[in-house]
Amino acid sequence: MRDPDHFERTRSRDLRAAQTSAEALLWGKLRGRRLGGYKFVRQEPIQGFYADFVCREHKLIIEVDGATHSTAEELAHDSRREQALREAGFRILRFQNNEIFHNIDGVCDTILDALVPSSPLPVKRGEG
């Protein structure tokens, strides 16, 4: 009998093989720690859903949305999915295909901004 994770691994492989051109373009920027030295994985199963890209260390999910995600049913599914992922402690960034094709540098900057911890506020003299 196969282990319970067999389906998830197989499905992840299938999704990686069938990536969209926008996902491929973004993956080219994320893979191999190319973006700020942060490690990303593709098509990660989390809470019964598959996240397009995940930085596990910083619990950040990157979703790439194409022409779908516009009907009431799709939006309701996305809402349920996001709620489950947020409850698992993840933050989610969503980008449209057009953003990736026409402003990949801006997309990467937004991702980096979400990953870089905010600087502590300077302590005034006499405080802290």
Side-chain angles (χ1 to χ4, degrees), residues 1-11 13-14:
M1 182 167 154
R2 296 184 183 211
D3 65 281
D5 294 329
H6 175 75
F7 174 78
E8 286 181 347
R9 282 196 312 275
T10 301
R11 179 75 175 132
R13 277 189 211 114
D14 291 345

Side-chain angles (χ1 to χ4, degrees), residues 29-65:
K29 298 289 186 176
L30 299 176
R31 67 187 307 230
R33 297 182 183 265
R34 291 179 186 167
L35 186 66
Y38 295 99
K39 178 166 177 56
F40 283 88
V41 295
R42 296 184 292 164
Q43 301 303 335
E44 177 81 354
I46 303 170
Q47 298 295 106
F49 299 100
Y50 290 85
D52 291 337
F53 304 101
V54 179
C55 178
R56 293 178 187 136
E57 180 181 357
H58 293 276
K59 296 197 86 151
L60 179 68
I61 293 173
I62 311 298
E63 286 296 307
V64 178
D65 294 337

